[in-house]
């Protein structure tokens, strides 16, 4: 073990003149983590008023999703699309990428269809930079996006998933991208790819890629489902189609990837993958794989530390609901809901099913606590699609956000209690993993019914609370600005790996504030076909001091910072500590 201690002041443009003590510890072997709370968990502070305001129109975002809907009810029309946050020019402001569909043999649009990249101008507005950046993905029936710096050059790259193939865009560092799919070898040709995520599964310092593939469907195999009378044709159930397989691509460190799907073991079971989260579920320091499958057993693959994974889907208890049902797994996320330092799992499902919350038992098993947590059947008539576990009010406890929207635009003909467009759902954590529904308290824009699909969370205005972008099927997106969450204190951390992958993906963070302990991980995937703000947020509530922040990097290096400021965005470089970086705050007019 070698320990390095650094004293003195480290300042960034948003960091006040505080000199946090940095201790870097280089660890050998596997970085085992045994989280311990400094004192018993404290209940959250009294709820502060938070409203979400849709600023999409004022921001100048004119993109509109086209679901390519037709009388044939082609199955792919149900999917909607994802979207993603990416600071592609590294100016400290999160930009927004929106995924689009394409013309098809059954659908000829009246306007050209392409995905869109919107540059954050830093004043509350965005500019369409798609053409200059070269990321329109024209001709691809797009589905989702995953963002990661696969070559460690400091500029994030993008994978766009879709029907038939994917596109990998390499960031050139000058505001433009190059399609490197063929060279990289990650086209996933012939498959229907949905969610994807970047993670360093072998901890060699380079990001690898996992792609969730869905079902074997073509327009020619599209079936007639529903009643045979005008207006009643319906989209078919996924049980009518065979599933595909997961794909895992290992980064060769030279701009190319090797398909290790079979060798790693993740491609063995048939999949119907829609959502993925890549994180360390057994606290052994190695990233694992959780996949939400549609009407199929969910997957949990634990990392064997040798390039392979073991399938514990059934033995862990996450494959099915508590009563043994395989439900319509769509979106998924993982977070520590009760402060015990172990990641719990949330999976969304369709109407007349339940959105499932699985509690981590610390022994590679999980319990379905959907009812005991207070979530229960509060959303029984809602079709859950994407989900993020976020601390929207910065009280230090992770809440659960969910977009909803039926897959069937004429669902009211079959179930009068259900609508195609549905309100969003927020479940506030009352402490120790007990939740209450607070959606109606968050404003009219939040509960406005839409056919919600992908969702991506970011602090796009750099004011310390988390905003939400939502892709709506056949409609404009929503850009929900968080108004009020920063009334509680906060801290956001941008990770810069050196020995580890540059994104710091796979790092584990532990923050102690006046004896209150919070745990986070730098995860891959999350939500549904969408990419998230890479910065790691902590809510601090009304506590005014942060005693320490400990970061365990994938390399095994441990950085410990003490006496940190609050209400700041800081950049932490592996083995160095806080380094200067500008994160301009948007001043709203």
């Amino acid at each position: 073990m070698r320990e390095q201690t650094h004293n003195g002041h480290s300042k960034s443009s948003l960091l006040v003149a505080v000199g946090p003590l940095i201790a870097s510890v280089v660890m050998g072997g596997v970085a085992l983590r045994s989280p311990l709370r400094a004192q018993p968990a404290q209940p959250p502070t009294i709820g502060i008023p938070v409203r979400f305001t849709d600023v999409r129109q004022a921001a100048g975002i004119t993109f509109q999703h086209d679901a390519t809907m037709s009388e044939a009810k082609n199955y792919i029309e149900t999917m909607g699309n994802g979207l993603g946050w990416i600071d592609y020019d590294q100016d400290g402001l999160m930009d927004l990428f929106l995924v689009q569909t394409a013309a098809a043999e059954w659908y000829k649009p009246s306007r050209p269809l392409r995905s869109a990249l919107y540059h954050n101008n830093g004043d509350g507005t965005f500019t369409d930079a798609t053409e200059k950046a070269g990321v329109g993905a024209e001709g691809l029936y797009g589905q989702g996006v995953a963002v990661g710096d696969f070559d460690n050059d400091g500029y994030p790259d993008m994978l766009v998933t879709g029907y038939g193939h994917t596109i990998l865009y390499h960031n050139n560092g000058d505001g433009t991208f190059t399609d490197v799919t063929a060279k990289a070898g990650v086209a996933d040709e012939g498959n229907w790819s949905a969610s994807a995520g970047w993670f360093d599964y072998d901890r060699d310092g380079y990001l690898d890629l996992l792609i969730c593939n869905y079902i074997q469907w073509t327009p020619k195999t599209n079936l007639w489902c529903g009643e045979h009378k005008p207006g009643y044709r319906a989209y078919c159930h996924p049980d009518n189609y065979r599933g595909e397989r997961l794909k895992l691509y290992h980064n060769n460190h030279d701009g190319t990837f090797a398909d290790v799907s079979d060798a790693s073991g993740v491609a063995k079971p048939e999949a119907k993958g829609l959502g993925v989260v890549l994180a360390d579920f057994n606290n052994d320091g190695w990233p694992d794989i959780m996949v939400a499958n549609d009407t199929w057993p969910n997957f949990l693959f634990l990392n064997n530390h040798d390039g392979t994974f073991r399938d514990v889907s059934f033995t862990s208890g996450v494959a099915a609901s508590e009563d043994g049902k395989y439900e319509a797994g769509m979106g998924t996320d993982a977070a520590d809901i009760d402060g015990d330092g172990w990641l719990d799992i949330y999976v969304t499902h369709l109407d007349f099913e339940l959105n499932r919350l699985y509690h981590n038992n610390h022994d590679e098993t999980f319990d379905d606590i959907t009812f005991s947590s207070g979530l229960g059947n509060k959303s029984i008539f809602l079709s859950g699609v994407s989900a993020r576990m976020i601390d929207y009010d910065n009280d230090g406890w992770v809440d659960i956000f969910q977009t909803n929207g039926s897959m069937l635009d004429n669902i009211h003909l079959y179930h009068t209690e259900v609508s195609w467009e549905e309100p969003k759902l927020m479940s506030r954590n009352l402490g120790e993993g007990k939740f209450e529904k607070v959606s109606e308290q968050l404003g009219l824009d939040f509960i406005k019914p839409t056919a919600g699909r992908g969702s991506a969370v970011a602090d796009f205005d750099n004011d310390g609370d988390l905003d939400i972008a939502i892709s709506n099927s056949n409609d404009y997106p929503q850009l929900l600005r968080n108004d009020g969450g920063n009334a509680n204190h906060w801290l956001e951390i941008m990770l810069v790996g050196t020995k580890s992958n540059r994104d710091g993906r796979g790092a584990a963070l532990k923050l102690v504030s006046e004896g209150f302990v919070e745990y986070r991980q730098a995860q891959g995937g999350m939500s549904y076909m969408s990419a998230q703000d890479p910065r790691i947020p902590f809510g601090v509530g009304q506590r005014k001091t942060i005693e320490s922040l400990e970061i365990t990097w994938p390399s095994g290096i441990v950085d410990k910072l003490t006496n940190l400021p609050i209400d700041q965005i800081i950049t932490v470089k592996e083995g160095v500590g806080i380094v200067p970086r500008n994160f301009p705050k948007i001043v709203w007019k």
Side-chain angles (χ1 to χ4, degrees):
M1 179 181 294
R2 178 168 58 91
E3 181 171 320
Q4 299 174 325
T5 302
H6 307 273
N7 293 298
H9 294 272
S10 294
K11 293 195 291 184
S12 72
S13 61
L14 287 184
L15 183 61
V16 296
V18 172
L21 177 67
I22 310 293
S24 296
V25 182
V26 180
M27 309 293 291
V30 178
L32 291 172
R33 290 177 281 211
S34 299
L36 294 173
R37 179 171 288 286
Q39 67 179 42
Q42 304 169 9
T45 54
I46 296 173
I48 57 173
V50 175
R51 297 290 184 274
F52 285 91
T53 304
D54 188 355
V55 296
R56 189 271 311 170
Q57 192 169 3
I61 296 174
T62 59
F63 175 92
Q64 186 174 7
H65 176 257
D66 191 322
T68 69
M69 298 173 78
S70 67
E71 293 183 0
K73 296 290 184 185
N74 284 291
Y75 190 91
I76 198 170
E77 300 164 16
T78 68
M79 298 289 285
N81 287 82
L83 70 174
W85 293 103
I86 174 172
D87 182 5
Y88 75 95
D89 56 355
Q90 291 294 283
D91 64 354
L93 292 160
M94 298 305 300
D95 311 300
L96 184 61
F97 184 77
L98 296 139
V99 183
Q100 184 61 285
T101 57
E105 56 187 85
W106 71 88
Y107 184 81
K108 305 303 177 187
S110 59
R111 59 188 173 92
L113 298 180
R114 69 176 188 183
S115 296
L117 176 64
Y118 281 89
H119 178 261
N120 189 333
N121 297 324
D123 60 1
T125 67
F126 289 74
T127 298
D128 189 334
T130 313
E131 186 172 352
K132 178 183 176 183
V135 291
E138 292 89 349
L140 173 67
Y141 198 110
Q143 294 287 265
V145 59
V147 173
D149 182 2
F150 73 81
D151 58 353
N152 291 334
D153 67 354
Y155 287 89
D157 312 297
M158 290 194 302
L159 179 91
V160 184
T161 64
Y163 180 74
H165 67 96
T166 67
I167 298 176
L168 179 59
Y169 287 113
H170 175 259
N171 192 329
N172 299 321
D174 59 1
T176 69
F177 291 76
T178 300
D179 182 344
V180 296
T181 315
K183 175 189 174 183
V186 294
D188 196 29
E189 202 73 41
N191 291 313
W192 179 354
S193 54
S195 289
W198 296 95
F199 71 143
D200 184 4
Y201 76 88
D202 57 352
R203 305 196 319 181
D204 65 353
Y206 284 80
L207 290 178
D208 311 299
L209 176 64
L210 184 100
I211 298 177
C212 293
N213 290 314
Y214 188 39
I215 59 173
Q216 298 176 21
W217 171 91
T218 70
K220 292 182 175 59
T221 61
N222 196 61
L223 304 173
W224 183 296
C225 293
E227 298 183 34
H228 285 262
K229 56 183 181 181
Y232 274 76
R233 184 170 184 176
Y235 296 104
C236 292
H237 195 276
D239 281 352
N240 290 289
Y241 305 98
R242 289 287 305 272
E244 295 187 322
R245 309 275 172 172
L246 301 183
K247 280 294 186 74
L248 179 60
Y249 293 97
H250 177 260
N251 193 325
N252 295 327
H253 310 178
D254 60 0
T256 69
F257 291 77
D259 185 343
V260 295
S261 311
D262 292 321
S264 65
V266 303
K268 289 181 181 178
E270 182 180 329
K272 295 184 179 181
L274 288 180
V276 64
V277 58
L278 306 165
D280 179 8
F281 291 102
N282 58 358
N283 280 344
D284 66 353
W286 294 76
D288 310 306
I289 300 169
M290 168 68 193
V291 174
N293 283 308
D294 190 1
T295 65
W296 200 253
N298 298 319
F299 294 157
L300 180 59
F301 293 102
L302 296 183
N303 197 319
N304 289 327
H305 314 170
D306 61 1
T308 68
F309 292 81
R310 53 195 170 96
D311 186 348
V312 299
S313 307
F314 290 95
T315 59
S316 67
V318 303
S321 64
E322 187 176 29
D323 51 358
K325 294 180 180 178
Y326 305 141
E327 296 173 307
M330 299 282 286
T332 186
D333 199 2
D336 177 12
I337 62 165
D338 55 357
D340 65 358
W342 297 74
L343 292 183
D344 310 296
I345 298 171
Y346 188 75
V347 182
T348 65
H349 300 291
L350 298 188
D351 48 34
F352 299 101
E353 297 176 338
L354 300 179
N355 303 296
R356 299 290 172 176
L357 180 60
Y358 298 96
H359 179 261
N360 193 325
N361 295 325
H362 313 173
D363 60 1
E364 300 184 357
T365 71
F366 292 76
D367 286 336
D368 183 343
I369 61 167
T370 304
F371 280 98
S372 62
S373 66
L375 297 175
N377 59 4
K378 290 183 172 63
S379 57
I380 192 70
F381 296 131
L382 299 178
S383 290
V385 185
S386 58
R388 283 301 323 278
M389 302 173 83
I390 63 172
D391 185 1
Y392 80 92
D393 57 356
N394 282 330
D395 66 358
W397 293 91
V398 176
D399 314 298
I400 302 176
F401 165 77
Q402 177 179 309
T403 61
N404 302 294
S406 175
M407 300 297 107
L408 186 61
D409 59 330
N410 58 357
I411 186 66
H412 62 282
L413 298 176
Y414 292 92
H415 298 288
T416 57
E417 313 95 323
V418 180
S419 301
W420 184 50
E421 297 180 325
E422 300 173 343
K424 285 153 284 297
L425 181 66
M426 185 75 81
S427 300
R428 181 174 184 253
N429 195 332
L430 300 176
E432 307 243 350
K434 305 295 183 181
F435 294 87
E436 69 171 355
K437 181 182 174 184
V438 295
S439 312
E440 289 76 13
Q441 302 173 24
L442 302 180
L444 294 178
D445 289 341
F446 186 87
I447 59 174
K448 175 187 175 182
T450 63
R453 295 297 186 259
S455 61
V457 173
D459 181 9
F460 82 87
D461 51 3
N462 289 337
D463 68 348
D465 48 29
L466 298 178
D467 315 296
I468 307 171
I470 300 164
S471 175
N472 295 312
S473 182
N474 221 43
D475 200 352
Y476 294 102
Q478 289 175 288
L479 181 56
L480 297 179
R481 185 186 66 201
N482 186 323
D483 295 328
N486 55 12
N488 276 326
H489 296 302
W490 54 276
L491 180 71
E492 295 176 15
I493 299 98
M494 183 74 183
L495 299 174
V496 177
T498 53
K499 187 177 180 182
S500 302
N501 66 85
R502 186 174 176 100
D503 288 354
R505 204 68 59 86
L509 297 85
K510 174 185 175 182
L511 181 140
V512 181
S513 171
E514 298 180 13
F516 185 78
V517 185
E518 299 178 56
Y519 299 93
R520 301 284 188 272
Q521 289 187 25
Q523 301 169 181
M526 300 175 282
S527 184
Y528 169 79
M529 305 197 298
S530 298
Q532 315 299 319
D533 189 332
R535 298 170 295 188
I536 311 299
F538 286 90
V540 187
Q542 291 301 303
R543 295 174 290 276
K544 295 180 173 58
T545 58
I546 297 175
E547 289 93 322
S548 66
L549 172 66
E550 185 175 297
I551 304 172
T552 303
W553 299 85
S555 66
I557 291 175
V558 179
D559 286 332
K560 187 169 184 179
L561 296 76
T562 58
N563 301 316
L564 287 168
I566 57 173
D567 301 339
Q568 305 285 329
I569 306 175
I570 62 174
T571 299
V572 180
K573 189 173 184 179
E574 181 180 10
V576 177
I578 296 176
V579 296
R581 182 160 183 179
N582 187 34
F583 297 98
K585 181 178 179 180
I586 293 176
V587 178
W588 295 93
K589 298 179 181 178

